[in-house]
Short mmCIF file of all heavy atoms in Angstrom, two decimals:
data_model
loop_
_atom_site.label_atom_id
_atom_site.label_comp_id
_atom_site.label_asym_id
_atom_site.label_seq_id
_atom_site.Cartn_x
_atom_site.Cartn_y
_atom_site.Cartn_z
N ALA A 53 34.64 -78.05 67.01
CA ALA A 53 34.62 -77.10 65.89
C ALA A 53 35.58 -77.55 64.78
O ALA A 53 35.26 -77.38 63.58
CB ALA A 53 35.00 -75.69 66.37
N ARG A 54 36.70 -78.15 65.11
CA ARG A 54 37.65 -78.60 64.08
C ARG A 54 37.10 -79.78 63.28
O ARG A 54 37.59 -80.07 62.19
CB ARG A 54 38.98 -79.02 64.73
CG ARG A 54 39.85 -77.85 65.10
CD ARG A 54 41.29 -78.29 65.41
NE ARG A 54 41.38 -79.28 66.49
CZ ARG A 54 41.50 -78.99 67.78
NH1 ARG A 54 41.59 -77.74 68.17
NH2 ARG A 54 41.60 -79.95 68.67
N LYS A 55 36.13 -80.48 63.82
CA LYS A 55 35.57 -81.62 63.13
C LYS A 55 34.53 -81.22 62.08
O LYS A 55 34.19 -82.03 61.22
CB LYS A 55 34.92 -82.58 64.16
CG LYS A 55 35.98 -83.26 65.04
CD LYS A 55 35.35 -84.01 66.21
CE LYS A 55 34.62 -85.23 65.81
NZ LYS A 55 34.14 -86.03 66.98
N ILE A 56 34.06 -79.97 62.11
CA ILE A 56 33.11 -79.50 61.12
C ILE A 56 33.93 -78.79 60.03
O ILE A 56 34.56 -77.77 60.30
CB ILE A 56 32.08 -78.54 61.76
CG1 ILE A 56 31.32 -79.26 62.88
CG2 ILE A 56 31.12 -78.03 60.68
CD1 ILE A 56 30.46 -78.37 63.73
N VAL A 57 33.93 -79.39 58.86
CA VAL A 57 34.80 -78.93 57.77
C VAL A 57 33.98 -78.63 56.51
O VAL A 57 32.82 -79.02 56.42
CB VAL A 57 35.91 -79.96 57.47
CG1 VAL A 57 36.81 -80.19 58.69
CG2 VAL A 57 35.31 -81.27 56.99
N ASN A 58 34.60 -77.94 55.56
CA ASN A 58 33.94 -77.71 54.28
C ASN A 58 34.47 -78.73 53.28
O ASN A 58 35.42 -79.46 53.54
CB ASN A 58 34.12 -76.27 53.81
CG ASN A 58 35.58 -75.91 53.66
OD1 ASN A 58 36.42 -76.73 53.32
ND2 ASN A 58 35.91 -74.66 53.91
N GLN A 59 33.87 -78.75 52.12
CA GLN A 59 34.22 -79.79 51.13
C GLN A 59 35.63 -79.67 50.63
O GLN A 59 36.30 -80.67 50.33
CB GLN A 59 33.24 -79.76 49.96
CG GLN A 59 31.85 -80.15 50.39
CD GLN A 59 30.89 -80.34 49.24
OE1 GLN A 59 31.30 -80.63 48.10
NE2 GLN A 59 29.61 -80.17 49.52
N SER A 60 36.19 -78.45 50.56
CA SER A 60 37.55 -78.29 50.06
C SER A 60 38.57 -78.92 51.01
O SER A 60 39.68 -79.26 50.57
CB SER A 60 37.87 -76.81 49.86
OG SER A 60 37.81 -76.12 51.08
N PHE A 61 38.22 -79.12 52.26
CA PHE A 61 39.12 -79.75 53.23
C PHE A 61 39.61 -81.11 52.71
O PHE A 61 40.78 -81.47 52.87
CB PHE A 61 38.38 -79.96 54.57
CG PHE A 61 39.12 -80.76 55.56
CD1 PHE A 61 40.07 -80.16 56.41
CD2 PHE A 61 38.90 -82.13 55.71
CE1 PHE A 61 40.76 -80.93 57.31
CE2 PHE A 61 39.59 -82.88 56.64
CZ PHE A 61 40.53 -82.28 57.45
N PHE A 62 38.74 -81.86 52.06
CA PHE A 62 39.08 -83.21 51.59
C PHE A 62 40.02 -83.18 50.40
O PHE A 62 40.87 -84.05 50.24
CB PHE A 62 37.82 -84.02 51.32
CG PHE A 62 37.01 -84.19 52.55
CD1 PHE A 62 35.92 -83.35 52.81
CD2 PHE A 62 37.35 -85.12 53.51
CE1 PHE A 62 35.18 -83.47 53.97
CE2 PHE A 62 36.64 -85.24 54.69
CZ PHE A 62 35.54 -84.42 54.91
N VAL A 63 39.89 -82.17 49.56
CA VAL A 63 40.79 -82.01 48.42
C VAL A 63 42.15 -81.54 48.91
O VAL A 63 43.18 -82.08 48.51
CB VAL A 63 40.15 -81.00 47.39
CG1 VAL A 63 41.15 -80.75 46.27
CG2 VAL A 63 38.83 -81.50 46.88
N GLU A 64 42.15 -80.57 49.82
CA GLU A 64 43.40 -80.02 50.32
C GLU A 64 44.19 -80.98 51.19
O GLU A 64 45.42 -80.89 51.29
CB GLU A 64 43.10 -78.75 51.16
CG GLU A 64 42.52 -77.62 50.33
CD GLU A 64 41.86 -76.53 51.16
OE1 GLU A 64 41.86 -76.61 52.42
OE2 GLU A 64 41.27 -75.61 50.55
N ASN A 65 43.53 -81.94 51.82
CA ASN A 65 44.18 -82.89 52.75
C ASN A 65 44.14 -84.33 52.24
O ASN A 65 44.28 -85.27 53.04
CB ASN A 65 43.53 -82.81 54.12
CG ASN A 65 43.77 -81.46 54.74
OD1 ASN A 65 44.85 -81.19 55.28
ND2 ASN A 65 42.76 -80.60 54.72
N GLU A 66 43.95 -84.51 50.94
CA GLU A 66 43.77 -85.85 50.37
C GLU A 66 44.89 -86.80 50.74
O GLU A 66 44.66 -87.91 51.19
CB GLU A 66 43.61 -85.75 48.85
CG GLU A 66 43.38 -87.07 48.21
CD GLU A 66 43.15 -86.97 46.71
OE1 GLU A 66 43.00 -85.85 46.18
OE2 GLU A 66 43.11 -88.00 46.07
N ASP A 67 46.14 -86.39 50.54
CA ASP A 67 47.27 -87.30 50.80
C ASP A 67 47.30 -87.74 52.25
O ASP A 67 47.50 -88.93 52.55
CB ASP A 67 48.59 -86.63 50.41
CG ASP A 67 48.73 -86.44 48.90
OD1 ASP A 67 48.02 -87.15 48.16
OD2 ASP A 67 49.51 -85.59 48.46
N LYS A 68 47.14 -86.82 53.16
CA LYS A 68 47.17 -87.11 54.59
C LYS A 68 46.00 -88.02 54.98
O LYS A 68 46.18 -89.02 55.69
CB LYS A 68 47.13 -85.83 55.42
CG LYS A 68 47.10 -86.06 56.89
CD LYS A 68 46.98 -84.75 57.64
CE LYS A 68 46.71 -84.98 59.11
NZ LYS A 68 46.26 -83.81 59.81
N LEU A 69 44.81 -87.70 54.51
CA LEU A 69 43.63 -88.46 54.87
C LEU A 69 43.67 -89.89 54.35
O LEU A 69 43.28 -90.83 55.04
CB LEU A 69 42.37 -87.75 54.36
CG LEU A 69 41.97 -86.48 55.08
CD1 LEU A 69 40.88 -85.74 54.30
CD2 LEU A 69 41.52 -86.76 56.49
N HIS A 70 44.22 -90.07 53.16
CA HIS A 70 44.18 -91.39 52.56
C HIS A 70 45.32 -92.31 53.03
O HIS A 70 45.52 -93.36 52.46
CB HIS A 70 44.13 -91.26 51.04
CG HIS A 70 42.76 -90.88 50.58
ND1 HIS A 70 41.73 -91.79 50.47
CD2 HIS A 70 42.21 -89.68 50.27
CE1 HIS A 70 40.61 -91.17 50.11
NE2 HIS A 70 40.89 -89.89 50.00
N GLN A 71 45.97 -91.92 54.10
CA GLN A 71 46.89 -92.83 54.77
C GLN A 71 46.11 -93.73 55.73
O GLN A 71 46.65 -94.64 56.35
CB GLN A 71 47.95 -92.04 55.53
CG GLN A 71 48.88 -91.28 54.62
CD GLN A 71 49.85 -90.38 55.37
OE1 GLN A 71 49.99 -90.47 56.57
NE2 GLN A 71 50.49 -89.49 54.64
N GLN A 72 44.79 -93.47 55.82
CA GLN A 72 43.89 -94.22 56.67
C GLN A 72 42.71 -94.70 55.86
O GLN A 72 42.43 -94.18 54.77
CB GLN A 72 43.40 -93.34 57.82
CG GLN A 72 44.53 -92.82 58.67
CD GLN A 72 44.01 -91.83 59.71
OE1 GLN A 72 43.57 -92.25 60.75
NE2 GLN A 72 44.03 -90.55 59.37
N LYS A 73 41.96 -95.66 56.40
CA LYS A 73 40.77 -96.17 55.74
C LYS A 73 39.61 -95.24 56.07
O LYS A 73 39.20 -95.14 57.21
CB LYS A 73 40.48 -97.59 56.21
CG LYS A 73 39.38 -98.28 55.46
CD LYS A 73 39.30 -99.75 55.92
CE LYS A 73 38.32 -100.51 55.09
NZ LYS A 73 38.23 -101.91 55.61
N ILE A 74 39.04 -94.61 55.03
CA ILE A 74 37.99 -93.59 55.20
C ILE A 74 36.63 -94.25 54.94
O ILE A 74 36.39 -94.85 53.89
CB ILE A 74 38.19 -92.41 54.27
CG1 ILE A 74 39.54 -91.72 54.57
CG2 ILE A 74 37.02 -91.42 54.36
CD1 ILE A 74 39.90 -90.63 53.60
N VAL A 75 35.73 -94.05 55.90
CA VAL A 75 34.35 -94.49 55.78
C VAL A 75 33.48 -93.25 55.60
O VAL A 75 33.69 -92.24 56.29
CB VAL A 75 33.89 -95.27 57.04
CG1 VAL A 75 32.44 -95.71 56.91
CG2 VAL A 75 34.81 -96.45 57.31
N PHE A 76 32.52 -93.32 54.68
CA PHE A 76 31.62 -92.19 54.46
C PHE A 76 30.20 -92.65 54.58
O PHE A 76 29.80 -93.71 54.11
CB PHE A 76 31.82 -91.63 53.04
CG PHE A 76 30.91 -90.48 52.71
CD1 PHE A 76 31.30 -89.18 52.95
CD2 PHE A 76 29.65 -90.70 52.17
CE1 PHE A 76 30.45 -88.11 52.66
CE2 PHE A 76 28.81 -89.64 51.88
CZ PHE A 76 29.21 -88.35 52.14
N THR A 77 29.39 -91.82 55.27
CA THR A 77 27.96 -92.00 55.29
C THR A 77 27.32 -90.62 55.23
O THR A 77 28.01 -89.61 55.37
CB THR A 77 27.47 -92.80 56.51
OG1 THR A 77 26.11 -93.18 56.28
CG2 THR A 77 27.60 -92.00 57.80
N ASN A 78 26.02 -90.59 55.02
CA ASN A 78 25.37 -89.27 54.94
C ASN A 78 23.92 -89.39 55.40
O ASN A 78 23.37 -90.49 55.48
CB ASN A 78 25.43 -88.73 53.52
CG ASN A 78 24.62 -89.53 52.56
OD1 ASN A 78 25.04 -90.60 52.10
ND2 ASN A 78 23.41 -89.07 52.23
N GLY A 79 23.32 -88.24 55.65
CA GLY A 79 21.92 -88.21 56.01
C GLY A 79 21.53 -86.89 56.60
O GLY A 79 22.34 -85.95 56.70
N CYS A 80 20.27 -86.83 57.04
CA CYS A 80 19.72 -85.60 57.64
C CYS A 80 19.99 -85.50 59.12
O CYS A 80 20.25 -84.41 59.64
CB CYS A 80 18.22 -85.55 57.41
SG CYS A 80 17.76 -85.62 55.65
N PHE A 81 19.92 -86.61 59.82
CA PHE A 81 20.19 -86.68 61.27
C PHE A 81 19.52 -85.51 62.00
O PHE A 81 20.15 -84.81 62.74
CB PHE A 81 21.70 -86.72 61.54
CG PHE A 81 22.35 -87.96 60.98
CD1 PHE A 81 22.89 -87.95 59.68
CD2 PHE A 81 22.37 -89.13 61.70
CE1 PHE A 81 23.48 -89.09 59.16
CE2 PHE A 81 22.95 -90.27 61.17
CZ PHE A 81 23.50 -90.26 59.90
N ASP A 82 18.21 -85.40 61.77
CA ASP A 82 17.46 -84.26 62.27
C ASP A 82 17.24 -84.34 63.79
O ASP A 82 17.55 -83.41 64.53
CB ASP A 82 16.14 -84.16 61.52
CG ASP A 82 15.44 -82.83 61.71
OD1 ASP A 82 16.02 -81.93 62.35
OD2 ASP A 82 14.33 -82.68 61.18
N LEU A 83 16.65 -85.43 64.25
CA LEU A 83 16.48 -85.64 65.68
C LEU A 83 17.31 -86.91 65.99
O LEU A 83 16.89 -88.03 65.66
CB LEU A 83 15.01 -85.87 66.05
CG LEU A 83 14.07 -84.68 65.82
CD1 LEU A 83 12.63 -85.07 66.16
CD2 LEU A 83 14.50 -83.49 66.68
N LEU A 84 18.42 -86.75 66.61
CA LEU A 84 19.33 -87.84 66.87
C LEU A 84 18.69 -88.82 67.88
O LEU A 84 18.17 -88.42 68.89
CB LEU A 84 20.65 -87.29 67.43
CG LEU A 84 21.88 -88.13 67.28
CD1 LEU A 84 22.14 -88.41 65.79
CD2 LEU A 84 23.08 -87.45 67.89
N HIS A 85 18.76 -90.10 67.56
CA HIS A 85 18.18 -91.14 68.43
C HIS A 85 19.11 -92.36 68.48
O HIS A 85 20.16 -92.37 67.78
CB HIS A 85 16.77 -91.53 67.97
CG HIS A 85 16.67 -91.91 66.52
ND1 HIS A 85 17.18 -93.10 66.02
CD2 HIS A 85 16.13 -91.26 65.46
CE1 HIS A 85 16.94 -93.15 64.74
NE2 HIS A 85 16.30 -92.07 64.36
N CYS A 86 18.78 -93.34 69.31
CA CYS A 86 19.69 -94.48 69.49
C CYS A 86 19.89 -95.28 68.22
O CYS A 86 20.96 -95.89 68.06
CB CYS A 86 19.23 -95.36 70.66
SG CYS A 86 17.80 -96.35 70.35
N GLY A 87 18.95 -95.28 67.31
CA GLY A 87 19.18 -95.92 66.03
C GLY A 87 20.32 -95.26 65.25
O GLY A 87 21.17 -95.95 64.67
N HIS A 88 20.36 -93.93 65.29
CA HIS A 88 21.48 -93.21 64.65
C HIS A 88 22.79 -93.56 65.31
O HIS A 88 23.80 -93.80 64.62
CB HIS A 88 21.27 -91.69 64.75
CG HIS A 88 20.18 -91.13 63.91
ND1 HIS A 88 19.29 -90.20 64.37
CD2 HIS A 88 19.84 -91.36 62.61
CE1 HIS A 88 18.45 -89.86 63.40
NE2 HIS A 88 18.77 -90.57 62.32
N ILE A 89 22.81 -93.56 66.63
CA ILE A 89 24.05 -93.79 67.36
C ILE A 89 24.58 -95.20 67.07
O ILE A 89 25.79 -95.38 66.80
CB ILE A 89 23.85 -93.60 68.90
CG1 ILE A 89 23.40 -92.17 69.19
CG2 ILE A 89 25.10 -93.99 69.68
CD1 ILE A 89 24.37 -91.09 68.78
N THR A 90 23.71 -96.17 67.07
CA THR A 90 24.10 -97.56 66.78
C THR A 90 24.65 -97.66 65.36
O THR A 90 25.71 -98.26 65.11
CB THR A 90 22.90 -98.51 66.95
OG1 THR A 90 22.42 -98.39 68.29
CG2 THR A 90 23.27 -99.95 66.66
N TYR A 91 23.95 -97.04 64.43
CA TYR A 91 24.37 -97.03 63.03
C TYR A 91 25.75 -96.38 62.86
O TYR A 91 26.65 -96.94 62.21
CB TYR A 91 23.31 -96.29 62.18
CG TYR A 91 23.75 -95.99 60.77
CD1 TYR A 91 23.65 -96.97 59.77
CD2 TYR A 91 24.22 -94.74 60.43
CE1 TYR A 91 24.04 -96.69 58.47
CE2 TYR A 91 24.61 -94.47 59.12
CZ TYR A 91 24.51 -95.44 58.17
OH TYR A 91 24.91 -95.17 56.90
N LEU A 92 25.93 -95.21 63.46
CA LEU A 92 27.19 -94.51 63.33
C LEU A 92 28.33 -95.26 63.99
O LEU A 92 29.47 -95.28 63.46
CB LEU A 92 27.07 -93.09 63.91
CG LEU A 92 26.14 -92.18 63.10
CD1 LEU A 92 25.84 -90.90 63.90
CD2 LEU A 92 26.71 -91.83 61.75
N ALA A 93 28.10 -95.89 65.11
CA ALA A 93 29.14 -96.68 65.78
C ALA A 93 29.56 -97.85 64.89
O ALA A 93 30.77 -98.13 64.74
CB ALA A 93 28.63 -97.17 67.14
N LYS A 94 28.58 -98.52 64.27
CA LYS A 94 28.92 -99.63 63.38
C LYS A 94 29.62 -99.15 62.13
O LYS A 94 30.54 -99.82 61.63
CB LYS A 94 27.65 -100.41 63.02
CG LYS A 94 27.10 -101.22 64.18
CD LYS A 94 25.86 -101.97 63.81
CE LYS A 94 25.37 -102.79 64.99
NZ LYS A 94 24.16 -103.54 64.71
N ALA A 95 29.24 -98.00 61.61
CA ALA A 95 29.91 -97.44 60.45
C ALA A 95 31.36 -97.14 60.77
O ALA A 95 32.26 -97.46 60.00
CB ALA A 95 29.20 -96.17 59.99
N ARG A 96 31.61 -96.57 61.92
CA ARG A 96 33.00 -96.22 62.35
C ARG A 96 33.86 -97.46 62.47
O ARG A 96 35.06 -97.41 62.18
CB ARG A 96 32.94 -95.47 63.68
CG ARG A 96 34.29 -95.07 64.22
CD ARG A 96 34.98 -94.11 63.24
NE ARG A 96 36.15 -93.49 63.79
CZ ARG A 96 37.35 -94.06 63.90
NH1 ARG A 96 37.49 -95.32 63.53
NH2 ARG A 96 38.35 -93.42 64.41
N GLU A 97 33.29 -98.58 62.83
CA GLU A 97 34.04 -99.82 62.95
C GLU A 97 34.57 -100.36 61.64
O GLU A 97 35.44 -101.21 61.59
CB GLU A 97 33.18 -100.91 63.64
CG GLU A 97 32.88 -100.62 65.10
CD GLU A 97 31.87 -101.58 65.70
OE1 GLU A 97 31.35 -102.47 64.98
OE2 GLU A 97 31.58 -101.43 66.91
N LEU A 98 34.05 -99.81 60.52
CA LEU A 98 34.43 -100.27 59.19
C LEU A 98 35.72 -99.63 58.70
O LEU A 98 36.21 -99.95 57.61
CB LEU A 98 33.30 -100.00 58.21
CG LEU A 98 31.98 -100.71 58.51
CD1 LEU A 98 30.90 -100.27 57.52
CD2 LEU A 98 32.17 -102.24 58.43
#
């Protein structure tokens, strides 16, 4: 539940968050499948 945030979270926590390298991606992710999992794992590695 703590991982689901609203947009203001990023403005309010900008200084703290930007002490790390932030990766962003987006999409619908309607029916999760192994292509999504592989993609997200590779994105996280960045």
Side-chain angles (χ1 to χ4, degrees):
R54 282 194 302 270
K55 291 170 70 173
I56 301 170
V57 298
N58 59 33
Q59 294 189 26
S60 64
F61 172 85
F62 298 98
V63 176
E64 295 163 3
N65 294 283
E66 182 176 351
D67 291 340
K68 178 184 169 193
L69 288 169
H70 284 281
Q71 294 174 13
Q72 301 174 84
K73 188 175 186 181
I74 298 173
V75 179
F76 179 90
T77 194
N78 67 281
C80 301
F81 296 92
D82 195 5
L83 296 176
L84 204 59
H85 53 72
C86 73
H88 288 137
I89 299 300
T90 302
Y91 170 81
L92 292 168
K94 288 180 179 179
R96 180 62 169 79
E97 291 172 358
L98 299 174

